[in-house]
Amino acid sequence: MGALVAAGTFLTAGPASAAPETTYYVSLGDSLSTGYQPDSDTDEPIAYSDRIFAALSADEPGLELKKFGCDGETSVSMVEGGHCSQYQQQSQLDAAAEFIEAHPGQIAYVTNDIGANDIFPCVSGGAGGGGSLSPSSGSAGSGSAGASVLPMAGCVAEKLGVIRTNLARIDARIRNAGGDGPVYVGMTYYNPMLAAWLQGGMQRALAAATVSADNLLSAVITSTNARYGWKTADVTAAFDTNDFTGDIALPGAGTVPTNVARICTWTWMCSLGDIHANPAGHQVIADTFLPLLTGENGADGSLGSAGSVADGPSGSSGSLGSVRALTGMGGS
């Protein structure tokens, strides 16, 4: 009788739960996508892509993250190669496209950030050409935020054309590889050169002039993405880049405009003279992407949650990080 009961139990028990189907979130980009942090001088698992993955995988247990990003990547090197050596294929674009093509029906999400490294030397007042900001230039307490800011209009116009051409190639290649199934989202950029506002005088006017260049870059990225079926996370707006209003208290610097406070709180620019987003900034970027990826909370627009200035770390410190990982200058 015991054997019969056991057998009956075995026969009526349901099948073991099947493992969830593997799907992929594919991330392309420069050092923002890889999470470069100047205090450790290495890529850290705090990138906006890591945070997006953590949020998405909570509801999609079979989701895996495949990161193709490379520190210092430009739109040119993403297409043509020559900067990053980790790809068996010629370029990051080739590597990502081949991976997507090899996993039909399994690609759920694709994100990309590219273009900042192309245009940064045009708005950095020569800092880009030297490879790093001055080691003595990163203190918000001293009112110094880096090299003189002087946007070069001819350079900006030339690089915007380069970005438009290359981003079109990137968007089209990835979209053709993945088809209509995945959600494709690119991003605009915050403007780290707003930190020069802390220097006072003419630097405030010059910092304001770099906002126009950032807006032009945003327009090129957004319009190109739309042409090829990509959405765009408006990080420029999430960082309040155009908002010179407000009197926000910034430790060591008095009161500053909203956009300057965002840069000083969500990047390393005012503490270490480094243009990369800090952990709080990466969360802001991730929050800007997520509604577009999930189709929730106003996904027909391009803005996510921007949080508050108080979200950032206070008194961030560490060894001075160079801009080389995002600009690709002065090192790999």
Side-chain angles (χ1 to χ4, degrees):
M1 178 64 72
L4 289 174
V5 171
T9 302
F10 176 78
L11 291 173
T12 58
S17 299
E21 179 184 358
T22 300
T23 56
Y24 295 97
Y25 160 33
V26 176
S27 169
L28 296 85
D30 53 35
S31 57
L32 284 180
S33 72
T34 66
Y36 175 81
Q37 295 293 280
D39 56 338
S40 62
D41 194 29
T42 191
D43 295 337
E44 299 286 357
I46 53 82
Y48 73 83
S49 54
D50 296 300
R51 296 178 184 242
I52 288 172
F53 173 68
L56 294 175
S57 61
D59 295 322
E60 302 177 46
L63 188 68
E64 295 184 9
L65 173 59
K66 184 68 174 179
K67 296 172 77 170
F68 287 93
C70 173
D71 294 356
E73 194 83 294
T74 66
S75 70
V76 176
S77 62
M78 179 176 278
V79 172
E80 299 178 359
H83 174 73
C84 305
S85 60
Q86 69 259 43
Y87 312 113
Q88 293 182 344
Q89 301 82 355
Q90 179 176 344
S91 67
Q92 180 179 166
L93 176 58
D94 291 333
E98 288 185 17
F99 178 85
I100 292 170
E101 289 167 346
H103 296 83
Q106 292 182 279
I107 309 300
Y109 311 99
V110 182
T111 64
N112 185 28
D113 72 272
I114 201 67
N117 296 331
D118 298 77
I119 203 170
F120 179 72
C122 302
V123 298
S124 61
S132 66
L133 297 176
S134 167
S136 62
S137 67
S139 170
S142 66
S144 176
S148 173
V149 175
L150 182 61
M152 296 173 279
C155 176
V156 169
E158 176 188 355
K159 295 301 184 182
L160 288 175
V162 170
I163 293 166
R164 181 183 291 107
T165 297
N166 289 320
L167 184 58
R169 294 177 65 182
I170 294 163
D171 284 356
R173 176 81 181 278
I174 295 297
R175 192 74 163 69
N176 288 338
D180 295 334
V183 181
Y184 303 91
V185 187
M187 63 168 268
T188 60
Y189 285 91
Y190 56 83
N191 178 13
M193 304 316 296
L194 280 166
W197 191 93
L198 298 179
Q199 298 180 46
M202 180 59 76
Q203 287 304 304
R204 294 188 175 181
L206 294 175
T210 66
V211 171
S212 297
D214 193 30
N215 288 335
L216 289 170
L217 175 61
S218 297
V220 166
I221 291 172
T222 302
S223 62
T224 304
N225 284 346
R227 180 181 174 188
Y228 293 95
W230 287 61
K231 302 175 185 180
T232 302
D234 195 349
V235 173
T236 301
F239 273 67
D240 294 316
T241 298
N242 289 280
D243 189 358
F244 280 95
T245 66
D247 293 308
I248 296 178
L250 188 68
T255 58
V256 301
T258 300
N259 53 2
V260 177
R262 301 300 193 219
I263 291 301
C264 289
T265 308
W266 291 340
T267 79
W268 295 97
M269 193 65 181
C270 302
S271 56
L272 299 185
D274 185 279
I275 61 183
H276 292 88
N278 59 28
H282 276 286
Q283 187 63 60
V284 173
I285 297 171
D287 288 345
T288 309
F289 268 99
L290 279 167
L292 300 178
L293 292 165
T294 62
E296 299 176 356
N297 301 327
D300 56 334
S302 57
L303 278 179
S305 169
S308 68
V309 172
D311 292 338
S314 60
S316 299
S317 62
S319 61
L320 180 71
S322 73
V323 298
R324 60 94 181 157
L326 186 57
T327 63
M329 301 193 181
S332 60

